[in-house]
Structures are given as structure tokens and as C-alpha cells.
Amino acid sequence: MVIEILQAGTGDSIWVSHNKKNIVIDGGKSTAAIRAKYSKMPQDEIIDLLVVTHIDSDHIAGIIALVKHMKEIGETHRLKQVWFNFPKKEETDEYSVGEGNELTSLLLEIDGLSWNNNTSELLGSTIEYGDIKLHVLAPAHDVAYENKPKEPDELGVRSDDWYIDLRTLIDNVDDDDIDEGGTNSQSIIILAECEGKKLLLPGDSTPKKLCDALQSYNKTNGTPLELDFMKLPHHGSTRNVTKNILNEVTCSNFIISTKKNNKYYFPNKETIAKLIRYRDSADKAINVYFNYQESLDVLGITAEELTENNINLNVCNEFNF
């Protein structure tokens, strides 16, 4: 299984492939990366599953661009199935709903497309695409017709922590200020498995929704969930990573997907501090992978700090299982 964390600006775009099966999760804010990846897909392959985790622009914009491109070149038949929790009709013009409506119109024009807009029906099931197994952990109810916020959720309204000393952050971390609602809480959370390897893809899930989903999964399958990789939710926002979440998984390898975000200061340096502070043992090395060099560089973490805290920060866009 190959996992590619595309350079899609400040958003997410993830391409999972194995033995001619292709699963695309979100399209990012920048549309060039996903179109370029699609253009390289062998002609005898299709997109077996397209997932839109939620309707925020930094996840859906690239999907709209991709589907438009496929339509323009007459290749919408290469899109087989979609998971997108959104009404199959137009609604009001609220925040991001306009883009949701645009994608809806495009999808409804594709003959033979299988579109699931209530993925809560898949909870407890294993969906297989060749050797790739997907488990949907959330949302736990139908969110397609829930009201959308009229304004963007306060995604990361906090001061810039990029220039604060790492030790200071480690000593003072807490989970008092967390992301609680809006479209992030509607994110589709997916556990992907292939040949014994497991990867958690939580979209921009809020801490409560992610923790609840993990607790529910662990109650059935054993505690804690052992992962080979976990993409940290919401582009490395400290408001979406908590001690309770990390207590539900055993994982040493984390992925942060975002270009340096000068508006919301993603990724947050405090997120790295939380991974260090909340781990079970200081003897256990942590590896964090960024899909942009600038997102790593802006944190300003020194080689001495890395050694002192037994953590490795790297830039990597592709992971082979």
C-alpha cells in the first residue's frame, strides 16, 4: 500500500493505492496536486473510491477541480464510488455550502456513480478494495442534513506559538481550548488497513468526536488501537490533539498535512509539545512527518531539542507499507 500526502496547500489530499486500487481522500485547497496525480494514474485504473471528509474548502476545492477536469476530458466513468455526507440537492448558500452544492451538481450528472451520503450506515462494517480494508469510525449519525455554520469555525484563533521555546510549551500544555463544533465535527474518520498495517485518517475531526470514535472502536476490538501511522487531525492544530485521543492509540509515527498557514498558525508548535508530553515513555521515539519543508522549518525546533526529547521531524510525502 502506498500513501501519498499530496502538497495541496493548507488542506488535505491523500491518495491511497495498492495493486491497481485507488482511494482518494479529500482534494485540498490547491487544486494542481490532485489533478497532476490523476494525470499519472495508469489508463487501466480507476478511482475506486473518492471520499470528501467534510465540506470545508481546504478539503473540497481540489475534488471539485478534479471532477470538473474528468468531465471536461470525458473520463467521469473512471470514478466509481463517492462518500460525501451532503444532501443530493441544492440547499442554502452558507459557508462552504456553495462548494458542496457545486460538487453535488457535478456528481448527479455522472451516470452509474454510487454515492453514499450517509456513511454512518457503514459503522461496524469492513469495506474492501482489493487488499485495502476500510473501517469508518465516524460520524456516528447522518450529518448530511445538519445545519452548516454561517461563518467559518474558529479554526485556530490563538496566538502564534512558533517562536516559543519548546520546553516552555511542553511544561505548560493543556487541553482547555479545543475545537468543538462546526463542519470539523462532521468529518469522516477512516481506519485504513492493508496486509497488517494500519493508518488512521481523521480528517479535521474535533477531539470529542475522534475520542468517542476511538473509544467505541477499542471497546469492540481491544484497547488501545495499534497504529503504524496516524495523520494528526486538522493540519496539526493543537486544538484538535488531546491527551484523551493519544491515550486511545499506540502510535509512534504521525503525519501533518499542511503548507505553513500564516492565518491560523498551522501547524502549531504546541502540537509537537503534546506528543512529547503525553507519550507513555520518554524512551519511545516519536516520528513526525510533514508534507512541506516550510511547515517543519517554521517551528524552529533545534537539533538539541530533538535529541533531548527523543523526537524526529522529517519531510515526507509518500509512505510505502
Side-chain angles (χ1 to χ4, degrees):
M1 179 168 65
V2 179
I3 312 294
E4 295 179 71
I5 311 298
L6 303 182
Q7 289 191 327
T10 54
D12 277 1
S13 187
I14 301 165
W15 197 293
V16 182
S17 58
H18 182 71
N19 288 344
K20 294 186 176 296
K21 297 294 183 181
N22 294 279
I23 299 169
V24 180
I25 302 173
D26 291 331
K29 183 75 170 179
S30 173
T31 63
I34 193 168
R35 286 186 53 174
K37 174 60 183 175
Y38 174 77
S39 69
K40 297 176 182 177
M41 188 172 72
Q43 282 298 313
D44 63 339
E45 297 182 18
I46 64 171
I47 297 176
D48 296 274
L49 174 65
L50 177 65
V51 180
V52 182
T53 60
H54 61 300
I55 65 169
D56 283 356
S57 183
D58 57 340
H59 293 253
I60 196 174
I63 297 299
I64 292 172
L66 174 62
V67 176
K68 281 184 175 180
H69 176 64
M70 295 175 73
K71 180 179 178 182
E72 290 169 358
I73 62 177
E75 292 189 358
T76 54
H77 62 280
R78 299 181 74 192
L79 178 57
K80 184 176 181 181
Q81 187 177 20
V82 172
W83 294 352
F84 175 39
N85 292 328
F86 195 80
K88 296 183 180 181
K89 61 180 181 179
E90 292 190 0
E91 284 196 329
T92 56
D93 185 19
E94 295 175 342
Y95 172 62
S96 287
V97 176
E99 288 174 303
N101 288 335
E102 185 175 5
L103 181 57
T104 291
S105 297
L106 291 168
L107 296 179
L108 291 175
E109 293 174 354
I110 301 176
D111 293 334
L113 177 68
S114 173
W115 174 8
N116 185 331
N117 75 333
N118 180 14
T119 57
S120 67
E121 297 175 340
L122 302 176
L123 265 67
S125 303
T126 299
I127 302 92
E128 298 186 13
Y129 297 90
D131 294 326
I132 303 173
K133 298 178 181 179
L134 301 182
H135 311 271
V136 176
L137 307 188
H141 66 282
D142 185 359
V143 300
Y145 294 89
E146 290 185 351
N147 292 327
K148 311 300 189 300
K150 293 183 179 180
E151 298 293 337
D153 183 36
E154 293 183 356
L155 303 175
V157 184
R158 55 190 297 124
S159 60
D160 173 5
D161 67 1
W162 291 338
Y163 305 105
I164 299 176
D165 177 74
L166 181 61
R167 174 48 56 186
T168 299
L169 290 172
I170 293 171
D171 291 341
N172 292 280
V173 295
D174 61 56
D175 298 328
D176 294 340
D177 178 21
I178 61 173
D179 186 3
E180 295 182 331
T183 54
N184 288 346
S185 66
Q186 300 169 351
S187 289
I188 299 174
I189 302 174
I190 294 174
L191 174 64
E193 184 177 1
C194 185
E195 299 179 345
K197 302 294 185 179
K198 294 181 179 179
L199 166 72
L200 184 64
L201 300 168
D204 282 0
S205 184
T206 56
K208 177 172 173 45
K209 295 294 184 181
L210 180 52
C211 191
D212 287 350
L214 290 170
Q215 288 177 345
S216 177
Y217 182 87
N218 288 337
K219 184 176 181 180
T220 303
N221 297 280
T223 302
L225 172 60
E226 295 186 5
L227 297 168
D228 294 278
F229 283 89
M230 174 180 177
K231 186 193 80 70
L232 292 174
H234 202 192
H235 322 293
S237 169
T238 186
R239 299 179 71 233
N240 295 73
V241 176
T242 66
K243 182 177 178 62
N244 287 341
I245 290 171
L246 295 176
N247 283 344
E248 295 297 327
V249 301
T250 298
C251 186
S252 299
N253 301 302
F254 301 92
I255 298 169
I256 292 178
S257 172
T258 186
K259 186 177 181 178
K260 182 179 73 171
N261 190 319
N262 291 309
K263 182 177 182 180
Y264 299 114
Y265 304 117
F266 295 159
N268 293 139
K269 192 171 182 177
E270 187 180 53
T271 300
I272 305 300
K274 286 185 174 184
L275 294 179
I276 296 169
R277 177 72 178 271
Y278 294 155
R279 66 181 162 192
D280 292 335
S281 171
D283 295 331
K284 187 177 181 181
I286 298 171
N287 303 297
V288 184
Y289 300 90
F290 300 78
N291 65 332
Y292 280 91
Q293 182 70 49
E294 64 182 60
S295 295
L296 187 163
D297 292 344
V298 74
L299 300 179
I301 298 174
T302 68
E304 291 77 12
E305 289 173 323
L306 295 176
T307 301
E308 176 188 349
N309 294 288
N310 199 14
I311 185 168
N312 304 300
L313 305 183
N314 306 279
V315 176
C316 185
N317 298 84
E318 182 175 313
F319 303 85
N320 293 274
F321 288 71

Short mmCIF file of all heavy atoms in Angstrom, two decimals, residues 270-314:
data_model
loop_
_atom_site.label_atom_id
_atom_site.label_comp_id
_atom_site.label_asym_id
_atom_site.label_seq_id
_atom_site.Cartn_x
_atom_site.Cartn_y
_atom_site.Cartn_z
N GLU A 270 2.80 23.75 19.63
CA GLU A 270 2.30 23.10 20.84
C GLU A 270 1.84 21.67 20.56
O GLU A 270 1.85 20.82 21.46
CB GLU A 270 1.14 23.90 21.45
CG GLU A 270 0.71 23.36 22.81
CD GLU A 270 -0.43 24.17 23.41
OE1 GLU A 270 -1.46 24.35 22.73
OE2 GLU A 270 -0.29 24.59 24.57
N THR A 271 1.44 21.38 19.33
CA THR A 271 1.05 20.02 18.98
C THR A 271 2.23 19.07 19.16
O THR A 271 2.08 17.95 19.68
CB THR A 271 0.54 19.96 17.53
OG1 THR A 271 -0.60 20.82 17.40
CG2 THR A 271 0.16 18.55 17.13
N ILE A 272 3.42 19.50 18.75
CA ILE A 272 4.63 18.70 18.94
C ILE A 272 4.89 18.52 20.44
O ILE A 272 5.25 17.43 20.91
CB ILE A 272 5.84 19.35 18.26
CG1 ILE A 272 5.55 19.61 16.77
CG2 ILE A 272 7.08 18.50 18.44
CD1 ILE A 272 5.23 18.38 15.98
N ALA A 273 4.68 19.60 21.20
CA ALA A 273 4.88 19.53 22.65
C ALA A 273 3.92 18.52 23.28
O ALA A 273 4.29 17.80 24.21
CB ALA A 273 4.68 20.91 23.26
N LYS A 274 2.69 18.45 22.77
CA LYS A 274 1.73 17.50 23.31
C LYS A 274 2.14 16.06 23.02
O LYS A 274 2.00 15.18 23.89
CB LYS A 274 0.33 17.77 22.73
CG LYS A 274 -0.35 19.00 23.30
CD LYS A 274 -1.77 19.14 22.76
CE LYS A 274 -2.50 20.29 23.44
NZ LYS A 274 -3.92 20.40 23.01
N LEU A 275 2.64 15.81 21.83
CA LEU A 275 3.09 14.45 21.50
C LEU A 275 4.19 14.02 22.47
O LEU A 275 4.25 12.85 22.88
CB LEU A 275 3.60 14.39 20.07
CG LEU A 275 2.58 14.63 18.94
CD1 LEU A 275 3.27 14.56 17.59
CD2 LEU A 275 1.44 13.63 19.02
N ILE A 276 5.07 14.95 22.81
CA ILE A 276 6.16 14.65 23.74
C ILE A 276 5.64 14.47 25.16
O ILE A 276 5.96 13.50 25.85
CB ILE A 276 7.22 15.77 23.69
CG1 ILE A 276 7.88 15.83 22.30
CG2 ILE A 276 8.27 15.58 24.78
CD1 ILE A 276 8.72 17.07 22.07
N ARG A 277 4.82 15.39 25.60
CA ARG A 277 4.34 15.39 27.00
C ARG A 277 3.40 14.21 27.27
O ARG A 277 3.44 13.61 28.37
CB ARG A 277 3.62 16.71 27.28
CG ARG A 277 3.00 16.84 28.65
CD ARG A 277 4.03 17.02 29.75
NE ARG A 277 3.41 17.19 31.04
CZ ARG A 277 3.05 18.37 31.55
NH1 ARG A 277 3.28 19.49 30.87
NH2 ARG A 277 2.49 18.45 32.73
N TYR A 278 2.58 13.85 26.31
CA TYR A 278 1.54 12.86 26.56
C TYR A 278 1.94 11.42 26.23
O TYR A 278 1.15 10.51 26.44
CB TYR A 278 0.28 13.22 25.76
CG TYR A 278 -0.41 14.49 26.19
CD1 TYR A 278 -1.19 15.21 25.28
CD2 TYR A 278 -0.29 14.98 27.49
CE1 TYR A 278 -1.84 16.37 25.67
CE2 TYR A 278 -0.93 16.15 27.88
CZ TYR A 278 -1.71 16.84 26.96
OH TYR A 278 -2.35 17.99 27.34
N ARG A 279 3.14 11.19 25.72
CA ARG A 279 3.51 9.81 25.37
C ARG A 279 3.73 8.99 26.63
O ARG A 279 3.97 9.52 27.73
CB ARG A 279 4.77 9.81 24.51
CG ARG A 279 6.02 10.28 25.20
CD ARG A 279 7.21 10.26 24.25
NE ARG A 279 8.29 11.10 24.74
CZ ARG A 279 9.34 11.44 24.01
NH1 ARG A 279 9.46 11.01 22.77
NH2 ARG A 279 10.29 12.21 24.52
N ASP A 280 3.66 7.69 26.47
CA ASP A 280 3.75 6.78 27.62
C ASP A 280 5.15 6.78 28.25
O ASP A 280 5.29 6.70 29.46
CB ASP A 280 3.40 5.35 27.19
CG ASP A 280 1.95 5.20 26.82
OD1 ASP A 280 1.14 6.01 27.32
OD2 ASP A 280 1.62 4.30 26.03
N SER A 281 6.17 6.82 27.39
CA SER A 281 7.54 6.71 27.89
C SER A 281 8.48 7.59 27.07
O SER A 281 8.39 7.63 25.84
CB SER A 281 8.01 5.25 27.82
OG SER A 281 9.39 5.14 28.09
N ALA A 282 9.38 8.28 27.76
CA ALA A 282 10.36 9.12 27.08
C ALA A 282 11.35 8.29 26.27
O ALA A 282 12.04 8.81 25.40
CB ALA A 282 11.10 9.99 28.09
N ASP A 283 11.41 7.00 26.57
CA ASP A 283 12.31 6.11 25.83
C ASP A 283 11.76 5.76 24.46
O ASP A 283 12.47 5.20 23.62
CB ASP A 283 12.54 4.81 26.62
CG ASP A 283 13.29 5.06 27.92
OD1 ASP A 283 14.07 6.03 27.97
OD2 ASP A 283 13.06 4.30 28.88
N LYS A 284 10.50 6.08 24.24
CA LYS A 284 9.84 5.75 22.98
C LYS A 284 9.97 6.92 22.01
O LYS A 284 9.40 7.99 22.21
CB LYS A 284 8.36 5.45 23.26
CG LYS A 284 7.59 4.94 22.06
CD LYS A 284 6.16 4.63 22.50
CE LYS A 284 5.34 4.09 21.36
NZ LYS A 284 3.94 3.80 21.77
N ALA A 285 10.74 6.73 20.96
CA ALA A 285 10.96 7.80 19.98
C ALA A 285 9.68 8.13 19.22
O ALA A 285 8.87 7.25 18.92
CB ALA A 285 12.06 7.41 19.00
N ILE A 286 9.51 9.40 18.94
CA ILE A 286 8.37 9.87 18.14
C ILE A 286 8.89 10.36 16.80
O ILE A 286 9.91 11.05 16.72
CB ILE A 286 7.65 11.03 18.86
CG1 ILE A 286 7.09 10.57 20.21
CG2 ILE A 286 6.53 11.60 17.99
CD1 ILE A 286 6.56 11.71 21.05
N ASN A 287 8.17 10.01 15.73
CA ASN A 287 8.50 10.48 14.39
C ASN A 287 7.33 11.28 13.84
O ASN A 287 6.19 10.79 13.85
CB ASN A 287 8.79 9.30 13.46
CG ASN A 287 9.91 8.42 13.98
OD1 ASN A 287 11.04 8.87 14.11
ND2 ASN A 287 9.59 7.17 14.29
N VAL A 288 7.59 12.49 13.41
CA VAL A 288 6.55 13.34 12.83
C VAL A 288 6.97 13.69 11.40
O VAL A 288 8.10 14.15 11.18
CB VAL A 288 6.32 14.62 13.65
CG1 VAL A 288 5.17 15.42 13.05
CG2 VAL A 288 6.04 14.29 15.11
N TYR A 289 6.06 13.47 10.46
CA TYR A 289 6.35 13.69 9.05
C TYR A 289 5.47 14.83 8.52
O TYR A 289 4.25 14.83 8.71
CB TYR A 289 6.08 12.42 8.25
CG TYR A 289 6.93 11.25 8.69
CD1 TYR A 289 6.48 10.38 9.69
CD2 TYR A 289 8.18 11.02 8.14
CE1 TYR A 289 7.26 9.31 10.12
CE2 TYR A 289 8.97 9.96 8.56
CZ TYR A 289 8.51 9.11 9.55
OH TYR A 289 9.28 8.05 9.97
N PHE A 290 6.11 15.78 7.86
CA PHE A 290 5.44 16.93 7.27
C PHE A 290 5.45 16.78 5.74
O PHE A 290 6.41 16.25 5.18
CB PHE A 290 6.15 18.23 7.64
CG PHE A 290 6.21 18.49 9.12
CD1 PHE A 290 7.15 17.84 9.92
CD2 PHE A 290 5.36 19.41 9.72
CE1 PHE A 290 7.22 18.09 11.29
CE2 PHE A 290 5.42 19.67 11.08
CZ PHE A 290 6.36 19.00 11.87
N ASN A 291 4.42 17.28 5.08
CA ASN A 291 4.44 17.20 3.62
C ASN A 291 4.97 18.48 2.97
O ASN A 291 5.04 18.57 1.75
CB ASN A 291 3.06 16.85 3.06
CG ASN A 291 2.00 17.91 3.30
OD1 ASN A 291 2.07 18.66 4.28
ND2 ASN A 291 1.01 17.97 2.43
N TYR A 292 5.37 19.45 3.80
CA TYR A 292 6.03 20.66 3.31
C TYR A 292 7.23 20.96 4.20
O TYR A 292 7.12 20.94 5.43
CB TYR A 292 5.09 21.87 3.35
CG TYR A 292 4.10 21.97 2.22
CD1 TYR A 292 2.83 21.40 2.33
CD2 TYR A 292 4.41 22.66 1.04
CE1 TYR A 292 1.90 21.52 1.31
CE2 TYR A 292 3.49 22.77 0.01
CZ TYR A 292 2.24 22.20 0.15
OH TYR A 292 1.33 22.31 -0.87
N GLN A 293 8.35 21.29 3.59
CA GLN A 293 9.54 21.66 4.35
C GLN A 293 9.28 22.92 5.18
O GLN A 293 9.72 23.02 6.34
CB GLN A 293 10.72 21.89 3.39
CG GLN A 293 12.03 22.24 4.09
CD GLN A 293 12.63 21.07 4.83
OE1 GLN A 293 12.76 19.98 4.30
NE2 GLN A 293 13.03 21.30 6.09
N GLU A 294 8.56 23.86 4.63
CA GLU A 294 8.34 25.13 5.34
C GLU A 294 7.52 24.94 6.61
O GLU A 294 7.68 25.70 7.57
CB GLU A 294 7.65 26.14 4.42
CG GLU A 294 6.26 25.76 3.97
CD GLU A 294 5.66 26.78 3.02
OE1 GLU A 294 6.24 27.03 1.94
OE2 GLU A 294 4.61 27.34 3.38
N SER A 295 6.68 23.92 6.65
CA SER A 295 5.89 23.66 7.85
C SER A 295 6.75 23.12 8.98
O SER A 295 6.47 23.36 10.16
CB SER A 295 4.77 22.66 7.54
OG SER A 295 3.85 23.22 6.62
N LEU A 296 7.78 22.38 8.62
CA LEU A 296 8.74 21.92 9.62
C LEU A 296 9.64 23.08 10.05
O LEU A 296 9.84 23.31 11.25
CB LEU A 296 9.57 20.77 9.05
CG LEU A 296 10.53 20.02 9.99
CD1 LEU A 296 10.94 18.69 9.35
CD2 LEU A 296 11.78 20.82 10.33
N ASP A 297 10.16 23.81 9.08
CA ASP A 297 11.13 24.87 9.37
C ASP A 297 10.57 25.96 10.28
O ASP A 297 11.27 26.49 11.14
CB ASP A 297 11.63 25.50 8.07
CG ASP A 297 12.49 24.54 7.25
OD1 ASP A 297 12.94 23.52 7.81
OD2 ASP A 297 12.69 24.82 6.04
N VAL A 298 9.28 26.31 10.09
CA VAL A 298 8.71 27.43 10.83
C VAL A 298 8.64 27.14 12.33
O VAL A 298 8.61 28.07 13.15
CB VAL A 298 7.30 27.78 10.29
CG1 VAL A 298 6.26 26.75 10.73
CG2 VAL A 298 6.88 29.18 10.73
N LEU A 299 8.67 25.87 12.71
CA LEU A 299 8.61 25.53 14.13
C LEU A 299 9.89 25.88 14.87
O LEU A 299 9.89 26.08 16.08
CB LEU A 299 8.30 24.04 14.30
CG LEU A 299 6.97 23.57 13.70
CD1 LEU A 299 6.79 22.07 13.93
CD2 LEU A 299 5.79 24.33 14.27
N GLY A 300 10.98 25.94 14.14
CA GLY A 300 12.25 26.38 14.74
C GLY A 300 12.77 25.47 15.84
O GLY A 300 13.43 25.94 16.78
N ILE A 301 12.49 24.19 15.75
CA ILE A 301 12.96 23.25 16.76
C ILE A 301 14.39 22.83 16.44
O ILE A 301 14.70 22.41 15.32
CB ILE A 301 12.04 22.02 16.82
CG1 ILE A 301 10.63 22.47 17.23
CG2 ILE A 301 12.57 20.97 17.79
CD1 ILE A 301 9.58 21.37 17.20
N THR A 302 15.27 22.97 17.40
CA THR A 302 16.70 22.74 17.17
C THR A 302 17.07 21.26 17.25
O THR A 302 16.32 20.44 17.81
CB THR A 302 17.54 23.51 18.20
OG1 THR A 302 17.32 22.92 19.50
CG2 THR A 302 17.18 24.98 18.22
N ALA A 303 18.24 20.94 16.73
CA ALA A 303 18.74 19.56 16.80
C ALA A 303 18.90 19.12 18.25
O ALA A 303 18.63 17.95 18.59
CB ALA A 303 20.07 19.45 16.06
N GLU A 304 19.31 20.04 19.11
CA GLU A 304 19.48 19.72 20.53
C GLU A 304 18.13 19.39 21.17
O GLU A 304 18.02 18.47 21.99
CB GLU A 304 20.13 20.89 21.26
CG GLU A 304 21.59 21.13 20.90
CD GLU A 304 21.78 21.82 19.55
OE1 GLU A 304 20.76 22.32 18.99
OE2 GLU A 304 22.91 21.84 19.05
N GLU A 305 17.11 20.13 20.81
CA GLU A 305 15.77 19.87 21.35
C GLU A 305 15.24 18.54 20.86
O GLU A 305 14.57 17.81 21.61
CB GLU A 305 14.83 21.00 20.96
CG GLU A 305 15.10 22.31 21.70
CD GLU A 305 14.26 23.45 21.17
OE1 GLU A 305 14.01 23.52 19.94
OE2 GLU A 305 13.84 24.29 21.98
N LEU A 306 15.52 18.19 19.62
CA LEU A 306 15.09 16.90 19.09
C LEU A 306 15.73 15.76 19.87
O LEU A 306 15.05 14.80 20.27
CB LEU A 306 15.45 16.79 17.60
CG LEU A 306 14.75 17.76 16.64
CD1 LEU A 306 15.28 17.58 15.23
CD2 LEU A 306 13.23 17.55 16.67
N THR A 307 17.02 15.87 20.08
CA THR A 307 17.74 14.83 20.81
C THR A 307 17.27 14.73 22.25
O THR A 307 17.02 13.64 22.78
CB THR A 307 19.26 15.11 20.78
OG1 THR A 307 19.70 15.15 19.42
CG2 THR A 307 20.02 14.04 21.54
N GLU A 308 17.13 15.88 22.90
CA GLU A 308 16.70 15.92 24.29
C GLU A 308 15.35 15.26 24.50
O GLU A 308 15.11 14.59 25.52
CB GLU A 308 16.64 17.38 24.77
CG GLU A 308 16.12 17.55 26.19
CD GLU A 308 15.91 19.01 26.54
OE1 GLU A 308 16.35 19.89 25.78
OE2 GLU A 308 15.30 19.26 27.60
N ASN A 309 14.45 15.41 23.51
CA ASN A 309 13.08 14.93 23.66
C ASN A 309 12.79 13.65 22.87
O ASN A 309 11.63 13.20 22.82
CB ASN A 309 12.10 16.03 23.24
CG ASN A 309 12.15 17.22 24.16
OD1 ASN A 309 11.68 17.15 25.29
ND2 ASN A 309 12.73 18.32 23.68
N ASN A 310 13.84 13.06 22.29
CA ASN A 310 13.71 11.79 21.57
C ASN A 310 12.60 11.86 20.51
O ASN A 310 11.69 11.03 20.49
CB ASN A 310 13.45 10.65 22.55
CG ASN A 310 13.75 9.28 21.94
OD1 ASN A 310 14.39 9.19 20.89
ND2 ASN A 310 13.28 8.22 22.59
N ILE A 311 12.71 12.86 19.66
CA ILE A 311 11.72 13.04 18.61
C ILE A 311 12.43 13.36 17.30
O ILE A 311 13.48 14.03 17.30
CB ILE A 311 10.72 14.17 18.98
CG1 ILE A 311 9.61 14.27 17.93
CG2 ILE A 311 11.42 15.51 19.19
CD1 ILE A 311 8.45 15.16 18.38
N ASN A 312 11.89 12.87 16.21
CA ASN A 312 12.44 13.12 14.88
C ASN A 312 11.40 13.83 14.03
O ASN A 312 10.24 13.41 13.97
CB ASN A 312 12.83 11.80 14.21
CG ASN A 312 13.80 10.99 15.03
OD1 ASN A 312 14.90 11.44 15.32
ND2 ASN A 312 13.38 9.79 15.44
N LEU A 313 11.81 14.90 13.37
CA LEU A 313 10.93 15.64 12.46
C LEU A 313 11.49 15.49 11.05
O LEU A 313 12.67 15.75 10.81
CB LEU A 313 10.86 17.11 12.84
CG LEU A 313 10.45 17.43 14.29
CD1 LEU A 313 10.36 18.94 14.49
CD2 LEU A 313 9.12 16.77 14.66
N ASN A 314 10.64 15.06 10.13
CA ASN A 314 11.08 14.80 8.76
C ASN A 314 10.07 15.33 7.76
O ASN A 314 8.91 15.59 8.09
CB ASN A 314 11.22 13.28 8.54
CG ASN A 314 12.12 12.62 9.56
OD1 ASN A 314 13.33 12.66 9.45
ND2 ASN A 314 11.52 12.01 10.58
#
